[in-house]
């Protein structure tokens, strides 16, 4: 629109240690920032100039020209691009998270939706994108570019390995009972698969920036994130993407299901890999997730073939290894990235099949609301590009209370003890790297 403000940009030399620079930028005590590691590298955005927040009653845009509010409806996600386009900025990128409850709200299942927001996006005043070819600095005020450059170029060396705190894992009996009940529901025909999760309190305030750096150096995620936004803070290492959309309309999703541990011992990990590839339960669980992803992609992209980039490859993701597939398609105008997000969210690998039945079982059997867990962290650009990753292997913190969450895919062949063990294997990807706050 006419009169839009522009970002001022400067490209400086590549940073030898992007994680150390991320630590410098994120550790400056800002109330609101968002770090997202996408396919091109790390990016750190700070100081929102506009925010989009949704709960079960409304979709609220807080912009530089004032607030705009619209009632929540099943079509709200389709309206996100038009609403963001009203922000008087050019070439913006927004960062944020979508909570698991967004799916039930989208589908009209308001009785399953909690009172907290389930979508929070921000467009930043300043932004740093780290690439191997150079470091892009962006700021609405040109005077901020010098300060950004100084902070990036004088980032400290990698931190000395911190000593993580111990996270006790107690009271697992409730999870075993929930899995037993879910298996009965599945065998009775209520649904085919459900991902049940459990919460593990950390017990001490976490230095999220130090934990993120320590954990990222040890993990091999598909994406990672670190943020503090609206009073909620989080750091995590995602094993898969929910949806990737290019500005040309190419769409990709990465269903990941089927798990075995990684021990760091090559011979033992090879044995576990063989076991993963040949276990009937794990293969069925993955095949079901893959089937749903293909069906959703075919419905989303009816004018183009569904493309399978890989099927049941093994991906190393920190303390575990997973079966992974890649499914793609092409959007036909006027469909856009938020149509793709609405069609594929939440990932079948964090919900179940059929999805609505899974929402109901999750609401019944899990002891607390998920918040962002099982949802997505994402970036969305003014040109229609989107990258959204599942929120798993994550630590959350609010008001000094920190917690972890992990789940497992439950099918008819599931054994409760094995599913509990799987949650512990996944928790190790984040629990072993939690650094207590100083003091």
């Amino acid at each position: 629109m006419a009169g839009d403000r522009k970002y001022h940009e400067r490209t400086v030399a590549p940073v030898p240690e992007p994680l150390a620079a991320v630590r410098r930028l994120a550790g400056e005590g800002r109330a609101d920032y968002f770090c997202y590691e996408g396919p091109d590298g790390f990016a750190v955005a700070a100081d929102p100039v506009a925010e989009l927040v949704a709960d079960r009653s409304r979709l609220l845009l807080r912009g530089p020209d004032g607030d705009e509010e619209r009632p929540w409806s099943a079509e709200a996600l389709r309206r996100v691009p038009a609403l963001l386009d009203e922000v008087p900025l050019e070439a913006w990128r927004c960062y944020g998270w979508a909570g698991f409850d967004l799916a039930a709200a989208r589908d009209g299942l308001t009785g399953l939706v909690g009172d907290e927001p389930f979508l929070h996006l921000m467009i930043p005043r300043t932004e740093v994108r780290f690439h191997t070819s150079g470091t892009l600095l962006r700021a609405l005020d040109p005077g901020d570019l010098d300060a950004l450059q100084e902070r990036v170029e004088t980032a400290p060396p990698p931190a000395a390995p911190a000593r993580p705190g111990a996270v006790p894992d107690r009271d697992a009996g409730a999870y075993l009972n929930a899995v037993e009940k879910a298996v009965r529901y599945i065998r009775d025909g209520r649904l085919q698969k459900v991902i049940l999760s459990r919460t593990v309190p950390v017990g001490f305030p976490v230095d999220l920036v130090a934990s993120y750096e320590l954990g990222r150096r040890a993990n091999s995620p598909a994406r990672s994130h670190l943020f503090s936004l609206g009073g909620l803070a989080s750091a995590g290492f995602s094993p898969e993407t929910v949806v990737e959309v290019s500005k040309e309309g190419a769409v990709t999703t990465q269903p990941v299901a089927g798990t075995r541990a990684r021990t760091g011992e090559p011979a033992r990990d090879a044995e576990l890999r063989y076991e993963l590839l040949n276990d009937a339960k794990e293969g069925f669980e993955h095949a079901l997730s893959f089937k749903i992803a293909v069906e959703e992609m075919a419905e989303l992209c009816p004018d183009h073939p569904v493309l399978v980039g890989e099927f049941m490859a093994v991906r190393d993701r920190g303390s575990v290894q997973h079966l992974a597939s890649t499914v793609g398609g092409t959007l036909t105008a006027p469909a856009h990235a938020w149509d793709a997000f609405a069609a594929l969210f939440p990932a079948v690998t964090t919900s179940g099949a059929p999805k609505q039945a899974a929402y109901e079982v999750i609401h019944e059997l899990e002891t607390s609301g998920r918040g962002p867990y099982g949802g997505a962290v994402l970036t969305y650009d003014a040109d229609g590009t989107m990258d959204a990753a599942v929120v798993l292997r994550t630590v959350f913190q609010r008001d000094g209370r920190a917690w972890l969450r992990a789940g497992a895919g439950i099918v008819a062949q599931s054994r409760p003890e094995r599913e509990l063990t799987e949650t512990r294997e996944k928790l190790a990807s984040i629990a072993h790297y939690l650094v207590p706050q100083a003091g």
Side-chain angles (χ1 to χ4, degrees):
M1 63 178 67
D4 284 1
R5 295 175 62 190
K6 296 182 179 181
Y7 282 92
H8 300 270
E9 297 187 347
R10 180 185 300 171
T11 300
V12 298
V15 174
E17 284 286 346
L19 264 176
V22 167
R23 168 164 49 97
R24 170 76 181 271
L25 293 168
E28 294 179 330
R30 289 185 175 90
D32 292 305
Y33 67 85
F34 209 105
C35 170
Y36 186 82
E37 182 188 7
D40 298 324
F42 298 92
V44 180
D47 301 328
V49 68
E51 296 179 88
L52 184 65
V53 181
D55 58 30
R56 62 183 181 182
S57 64
R58 65 179 183 172
L59 190 63
L60 174 64
L61 175 67
R62 303 187 190 108
D65 295 334
D67 295 352
E68 182 171 345
E69 183 176 324
R70 298 181 183 177
W72 175 262
S73 71
E75 296 297 312
L77 286 179
R78 289 190 53 83
R79 298 172 184 157
V80 167
L83 201 55
L84 290 174
D85 280 342
E86 295 182 14
V87 178
L89 302 175
E90 288 187 4
W92 46 259
R93 169 181 288 180
C94 70
Y95 297 76
W97 60 268
F100 187 78
D101 279 358
L102 171 60
R106 176 202 59 207
D107 295 343
L109 304 174
T110 55
L112 306 183
V113 180
D115 295 329
E116 296 295 318
F118 48 67
L119 180 69
H120 196 158
L121 308 177
M122 65 94 105
I123 296 176
R125 296 180 187 276
T126 63
E127 188 179 0
V128 180
R129 303 181 192 178
F130 299 93
H131 306 301
T132 56
S133 59
T135 304
L136 176 63
L137 314 177
R138 307 181 82 221
L140 291 177
D141 182 345
D144 288 336
L145 292 176
D146 289 341
L148 283 176
Q149 183 172 351
E150 189 275 333
R151 293 201 295 273
V152 165
E153 292 180 343
T154 60
R163 183 174 182 178
V167 180
D169 180 8
R170 306 188 182 98
D171 301 326
Y175 186 74
L176 295 173
N177 293 334
V179 172
E180 289 179 357
K181 187 172 288 187
V183 169
R184 289 200 299 271
Y185 289 160
I186 292 167
R187 291 175 178 173
D188 289 343
R190 183 172 171 181
L191 71 171
Q192 295 175 288
K193 171 184 175 179
V194 63
I195 287 72
L196 285 185
S197 69
R198 64 191 185 96
T199 300
V200 178
V202 172
F204 54 84
V206 175
D207 183 333
L208 287 178
V209 176
S211 300
Y212 176 71
E213 182 179 13
L214 184 66
R216 180 59 187 85
R217 294 189 187 281
N219 272 280
S220 49
R223 304 287 190 270
S224 71
H225 75 270
L226 168 69
F227 72 79
S228 175
L229 193 60
L232 176 68
S234 173
F237 312 108
S238 176
E240 63 185 288
T241 59
V242 183
V243 62
E244 304 162 54
V245 184
S246 72
K247 62 182 178 181
E248 295 81 17
V251 186
T252 305
T253 187
Q254 299 178 7
V256 168
T259 305
R260 282 296 183 272
R262 292 180 66 227
T263 67
E265 300 177 7
R268 178 56 180 156
D269 287 347
E271 293 175 357
L272 291 168
R273 176 190 180 103
Y274 180 84
E275 183 179 308
L276 173 61
L277 286 166
N278 290 276
D279 186 276
K281 181 266 178 183
E282 304 294 341
F284 173 76
E285 181 188 346
H286 185 87
L288 183 58
S289 299
F290 173 79
K291 176 178 179 290
I292 298 298
V294 169
E295 291 172 350
E296 290 176 338
M297 189 68 72
E299 185 174 353
L300 173 66
C301 306
D303 300 326
H304 300 275
V306 174
L307 306 175
V308 178
E310 60 183 356
F311 179 65
M312 290 183 67
V314 177
R315 292 282 176 268
D316 292 340
R317 295 290 184 248
S319 60
V320 294
Q321 48 191 321
H322 289 300
L323 297 176
S325 295
T326 304
V327 180
T330 303
L331 297 174
T332 300
H336 50 67
W338 286 93
D339 291 309
F341 185 82
L344 297 166
F345 180 87
V348 64
T349 52
T350 65
S351 52
K355 284 187 176 180
Q356 286 199 8
Y359 306 154
E360 294 169 353
V361 172
I362 288 168
H363 184 75
E364 175 189 345
L365 298 182
E366 293 189 354
T367 57
S368 61
R370 288 186 169 190
Y373 177 83
V377 283
L378 62 95
T379 62
Y380 173 65
D381 288 50
D383 66 3
T385 303
M386 175 181 281
D387 195 86
V390 296
V391 179
L392 299 172
R393 322 294 144 79
T394 296
V395 56
F396 305 96
Q397 189 158 256
R398 185 193 290 274
D399 300 327
R401 183 176 68 91
W403 66 97
L404 307 173
R405 196 156 188 152
I410 313 304
V411 295
Q413 303 97 318
S414 288
R415 294 179 292 109
E417 294 78 10
R418 169 58 206 160
E419 305 302 350
L420 175 63
T421 296
E422 182 173 316
T423 67
R424 289 171 170 159
E425 292 167 350
K426 293 172 176 175
L427 285 167
S429 292
I430 183 73
H432 291 176
Y433 308 103
L434 298 183
V435 180
Q437 287 183 2

